[in-house]
């Protein structure tokens, strides 16, 4: 009986996502975290698991501490993801507004409708905003951001309609009114999917993105993790491919044998094969995305890899630049102009590795 009920619920959920007419199969989008999810085990079990604060290698590599030291002010960054564990001690007070794109409404951040039932959104949020204190990790824009958590992904992925709604909802901010101080400055999306078979879905998403960018919001998205390192093997992903989106590939640091997790200055910047090689002009920038240490759902930290992990580094640096008074466009141009060319095709690395200390 219980099983039947569960099956029925899933069928109802699927039906509710289908369009009323023209039921062409449009795949939903998924987390860009297919590479090496939840590497390692957290210390302790079932939450807690607090560790002395560690600065992730990526934080060091891009010069985040210096960039933070040169920043005044605070901006709002919307993370559209699986939700955020707002009870995590290293994210205390960081998330100031929660909404569900799936339910199309605002919720108290402790409500189950915005709960992070995966851990992906909690990790992404930590990379942007984990507190600079004595525990766990530290965010690239720590102390200079408030996070808006928009839950757009459930256990089975998400729908494009919900994502488009959420982009516009985040742009309007908590008061629901466009053009006020609480509007998001940055929207960070560590997600994507191939909707090349549905121009109408791409257009619907583009309208939402245009609403954000035309109102001064920086829209950042992951390139995707379907790359193969085979020349000419071009991958597609949206919203990465939508016009006006600042699209992010992943880098790691390499000691000649392995990707490593401590930046000493002697390592090579290497792009992992999973980072998508996309049509010309799509990828804008690259950022750390291999073995990234950040906040784990339930407490403590964990390492994850993917363009999902690179994206919040870029969202955070745009936030720092905007906190200093730059526009979204100026911030993105600054990051591109000061990037380090790693020698990869621009279809994969964009302008190269983002250097926060140079951009600031
Ligand atoms: Ca911390
Ligand atoms: Ca507003
Ligand atoms: Ca782009």
């Amino acid at each position: 009986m219980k099983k039947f009920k569960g099956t029925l619920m899933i069928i109802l959920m699927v039906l509710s996502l289908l369009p009323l007419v023209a039921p062409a199969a449009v795949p939903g989008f998924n987390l860009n975290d297919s590479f090496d999810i939840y590497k390692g085990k957290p210390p302790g079990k079932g939450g807690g698991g607090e560790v002395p604060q560690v600065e992730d290698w990526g934080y060091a590599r891009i010069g985040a501490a210096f960039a933070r030291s040169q920043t005044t002010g605070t901006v709002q960054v919307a993370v559209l993801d699986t939700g955020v564990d707002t009870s995590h001690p290293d994210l205390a007070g960081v998330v100031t507004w929660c909404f569900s794109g799936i339910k199309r409404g605002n919720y108290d951040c402790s409500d189950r409708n915005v709960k992070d039932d995966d851990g992906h959104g909690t990790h992404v949020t930590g990379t942007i905003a984990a507190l600079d204190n004595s525990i766990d990790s530290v965010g690239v824009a720590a102390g200079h951001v408030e996070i808006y958590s928009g839950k757009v992904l459930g256990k089975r992925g998400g729908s494009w309609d919900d994502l488009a709604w959420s982009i516009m909802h985040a742009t309007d901010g908590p008061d629901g009114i466009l053009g006020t101080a609480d509007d998001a400055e940055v929207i960070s999306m560590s997600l994507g999917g191939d909707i090349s078979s549905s121009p109408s879905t791409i257009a619907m998403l583009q309208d939402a993105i245009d609403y954000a960018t035309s109102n001064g919001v920086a829209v950042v998205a992951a390139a995707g993790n379907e790359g193969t390192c085979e020349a000419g093997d071009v991958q597609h992903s949206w919203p990465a491919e939508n016009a006006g989106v600042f699209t992010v590939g992943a880098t790691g640091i390499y000691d000649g044998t392995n990707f490593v997790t401590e930046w000493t200055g002697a390592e090579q910047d290497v792009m992992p094969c999973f980072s998508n090689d996309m049509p010309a002009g799509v990828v804008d920038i690259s950022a750390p995305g291999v073995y990234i240490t950040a906040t784990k759902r339930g407490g403590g930290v964990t390492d994850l890899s993917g363009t999902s992990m690179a994206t919040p580094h870029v969202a955070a640096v745009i936030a720092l630049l905007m906190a200093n008074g730059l526009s979204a466009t100026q911030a993105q141009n600054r990051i591109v102009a000061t990037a380090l060319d790693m020698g990869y095709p621009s279809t994969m690395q964009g302008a190269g590795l983002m250097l926060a200390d140079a951009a600031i």
Side-chain angles (χ1 to χ4, degrees):
M1 193 63 191
K2 194 180 174 190
K3 189 179 173 188
F4 175 76
K5 192 177 169 189
T7 306
L8 183 65
M9 277 192 62
I10 288 166
I11 291 168
L12 289 172
M13 280 170 60
V14 171
L15 284 175
S16 72
L17 299 177
L18 293 173
L20 292 172
V21 292
V26 176
F29 57 90
N30 290 296
L31 303 176
N32 274 324
D33 65 354
S34 56
F35 178 85
D36 200 12
I37 302 173
Y38 292 146
K39 172 186 167 280
K41 289 199 165 105
K45 59 178 185 179
E50 191 174 292
V51 295
Q53 180 166 295
V54 289
E55 290 182 359
D56 178 72
W57 72 262
Y59 181 94
R61 177 67 190 96
I62 66 171
F66 179 77
R68 285 178 55 216
S69 76
Q70 301 301 303
T71 301
T72 53
T74 300
V75 298
Q76 286 96 17
V77 178
V79 174
L80 304 184
D81 210 290
T82 59
V84 178
D85 176 4
T86 54
S87 68
H88 195 295
D90 210 24
L91 297 174
V94 163
V95 180
T96 58
W97 178 42
C98 293
F99 66 88
S100 167
I102 301 164
K103 298 285 185 174
R104 308 280 175 107
N106 301 331
Y107 291 90
D108 185 280
C109 288
S110 62
D111 193 281
R112 64 180 180 83
N113 283 301
V114 289
K115 188 176 176 220
D116 182 4
D117 40 26
D118 180 274
H120 189 270
T122 299
H123 195 276
V124 164
T125 297
T127 293
I128 300 172
L131 299 170
D132 190 357
N133 50 18
S134 62
I135 62 163
D136 299 332
S137 63
V138 54
V140 170
H144 297 287
V145 282
E146 293 176 11
I147 297 293
Y148 293 163
S149 172
K151 183 177 172 73
V152 297
L153 286 156
K155 285 175 179 165
R156 297 164 56 83
S159 88
W160 296 98
D161 287 343
D162 293 345
L163 182 62
W165 181 87
S166 297
I167 290 167
M168 293 189 285
H169 197 57
T171 300
D172 290 346
D175 67 3
I177 301 166
L178 181 65
T180 60
D182 71 358
D183 298 7
E185 272 77 19
V186 184
I187 296 175
S188 185
M189 293 183 282
S190 291
L191 50 82
D194 185 354
I195 46 173
S196 52
S197 65
S198 179
S200 64
T201 306
I202 295 172
M204 182 265 303
L205 196 56
Q206 190 63 53
D207 285 347
I209 290 163
D210 290 348
Y211 181 81
T213 56
S214 67
N215 288 293
V217 181
V219 179
V220 186
N225 303 336
E226 295 80 40
T228 60
C229 281
E230 285 172 33
D233 187 13
V234 176
Q235 289 82 39
H236 290 282
S237 185
W238 282 264
E241 274 182 62
N242 282 100
V245 172
F246 205 55
T247 306
V248 184
T251 69
I253 48 172
Y254 192 74
D255 69 0
T257 310
N258 295 303
F259 283 107
V260 293
T261 57
E262 193 173 348
W263 167 249
T264 68
E267 296 78 17
Q268 269 181 280
D269 298 301
V270 170
M271 294 192 77
C273 284
F274 68 71
S275 193
N276 279 356
D277 192 357
M278 303 189 79
V282 170
V283 180
D284 296 280
I285 198 74
S286 295
V290 180
Y291 302 148
I292 300 302
T293 304
T295 42
K296 181 185 185 299
R297 178 180 65 127
V301 297
T302 192
D303 286 0
L304 294 178
S305 301
T307 55
S308 279
M309 283 65 243
T311 300
H313 284 82
V314 175
V317 174
I318 292 174
L320 292 176
L321 291 164
M322 291 182 77
N324 278 343
L326 270 63
S327 72
T329 304
Q330 288 170 335
Q332 289 165 34
N333 289 344
R334 184 83 71 83
I335 288 169
V336 164
T338 56
L340 175 69
D341 181 359
M342 298 178 288
Y344 290 89
S346 62
T347 50
M348 196 171 170
Q349 71 166 14
L353 174 63
M354 174 184 70
L355 298 175
D357 49 7
I360 209 76

